[in-house]
């Protein structure tokens, strides 16, 4: 997984292939031009993934080998 983020656009990649991009130009995108921090979590529930059901297996685990960040 990868993300490239510049002053004009954010691009998302999987296995080196871009699968989505979004322009971040304009007054409605000022939050994307402020300092940020990372939160890497295993979120359960919500709009995107849906809420757990009785069939949801707990506990869940997420293993992260490494995170690399650089700035141009």
């Amino acid at each position: 997984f990868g993300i490239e983020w510049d002053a004009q656009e954010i691009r998302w990649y999987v296995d080196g292939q871009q699968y989505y991009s979004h322009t971040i130009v304009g007054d409605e995108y000022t939050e994307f031009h402020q300092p940020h921090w990372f939160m890497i979590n295993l979120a359960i529930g919500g709009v995107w993934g849906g809420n757990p059901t009785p069939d949801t297996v707990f506990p869940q685990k997420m293993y992260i080998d490494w995170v690399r960040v650089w700035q141009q």
Side-chain angles (χ1 to χ4, degrees):
F1 298 94
I3 298 175
E4 291 182 344
W5 184 329
D6 60 35
Q8 305 296 314
E9 183 179 62
I10 302 174
R11 294 169 297 282
W12 288 265
Y13 297 85
V14 174
D15 294 332
Q17 298 296 313
Q18 182 177 326
Y19 72 90
Y20 187 73
S21 66
H22 196 283
T23 301
I24 55 170
V25 176
D27 292 340
E28 67 272 28
Y29 298 107
T30 57
E31 67 272 15
F32 293 103
H33 300 276
Q34 305 299 319
H36 280 76
W37 49 274
F38 293 99
M39 178 172 55
I40 301 171
N41 70 359
L42 182 63
I44 305 292
V47 176
W48 183 61
N51 291 320
T53 68
D55 297 326
T56 304
V57 178
F58 288 105
Q60 291 290 320
K61 297 178 182 177
M62 175 173 57
Y63 299 99
I64 300 172
D65 288 332
W66 50 268
V67 175
R68 178 174 44 192
V69 178
W70 69 93
Q71 184 172 345
Q72 289 184 324

